[in-house]
Amino acid sequence: MNTRTMAILLTLSLSGAVQADATSFLAQEGLAGKTVEQMVNTIDQSTQSRPMPYSASINATQLMLTQGEQKYVYPLSDKFYLSFAPYVQQTHPCFNHSLSGYQGELANTAFNVKITDKQGAVIVHKNVTSYQNGFVGVWLPRNTEGTIEVTYQGRVAQAPFATYDDSQICMTTLRLKSV
């Protein structure tokens, strides 16, 4: 067997080992057999306290899971995940969302959310409850811009959003103010 053949076999063997590690990790965390969208929803809505025992983060184009030295990357579909944490008194800066680490101020809180595009068409209008981590996540169409409005106990927050490949997916600027 020549050196090139051995290198190809080693590469194939290692990629198989990485795939086996990923499969084992996903099974261990209850994510096996789920689509990337379902994995994001499951992790973000998890009732585990933050930070979680593994790292999960999402940007505009991919989900990244890290456990120890192993890193698994999954491309997102044709939808864009916008994660937001309305607040009254305290927040933190954010651009990409840490599904496993961030904690918003208002956990398990009911809000009314209205998301419209630039033309005024309603994309989402519903009552939601923030997850244990204080965030709410919604899947939106890609390549659009608009406004998100959140209401809570006579308070309102409003901000622009965009869903491009370089857009911010973690919105922590929704300060709820009395109307």
Side-chain angles (χ1 to χ4, degrees):
M1 198 177 312
N2 67 29
T3 306
R4 181 171 182 192
T5 303
M6 287 176 49
I8 291 171
L9 289 174
L10 178 61
T11 300
L12 290 174
S13 174
L14 289 175
S15 68
V18 168
Q19 184 62 39
D21 285 347
T23 301
S24 174
F25 168 75
L26 293 176
Q28 176 184 331
E29 299 304 330
L31 302 172
K34 295 184 183 293
T35 65
V36 174
E37 195 173 304
Q38 291 168 331
M39 286 193 283
V40 169
N41 292 341
T42 298
I43 298 166
D44 214 14
Q45 296 173 29
S46 171
T47 57
Q48 288 183 352
S49 61
R50 292 341 193 241
M52 296 170 85
Y54 63 94
S55 174
S57 61
I58 184 171
N59 63 30
T61 60
Q62 60 190 8
L63 168 65
M64 292 141 306
L65 304 174
T66 306
Q67 183 179 44
E69 296 296 316
Q70 295 296 327
K71 184 174 184 177
Y72 314 105
V73 178
Y74 302 92
L76 297 184
S77 66
D78 60 345
K79 293 183 183 174
F80 183 96
Y81 191 69
L82 178 64
S83 183
F84 56 95
Y87 73 100
V88 175
Q89 295 188 20
Q90 64 186 66
T91 190
H92 60 274
C94 186
F95 190 86
N96 294 320
H97 183 49
S98 172
L99 300 161
S100 60
Y102 289 160
Q103 182 65 50
E105 176 185 348
L106 300 171
N108 304 310
T109 302
F111 301 100
N112 181 272
V113 175
K114 184 176 181 182
I115 301 174
T116 54
D117 67 16
K118 282 174 71 170
Q119 289 73 38
V122 176
I123 301 170
V124 173
H125 192 196
K126 64 182 179 177
N127 293 321
V128 299
T129 300
S130 60
Y131 314 135
Q132 185 168 317
N133 64 359
F135 281 82
V136 175
V138 292
W139 290 95
L140 301 172
R142 286 194 172 274
N143 304 317
T144 190
E145 296 176 38
T147 304
I148 180 171
E149 180 179 282
V150 179
T151 57
Y152 163 73
Q153 296 183 350
R155 297 172 180 259
V156 177
Q158 192 175 49
F161 74 91
T163 63
Y164 302 107
D165 283 351
D166 61 351
S167 295
Q168 178 176 0
I169 69 138
C170 182
M171 185 178 288
T172 56
T173 55
L174 289 166
R175 183 171 190 185
L176 294 156
K177 298 178 185 176
S178 296
V179 251

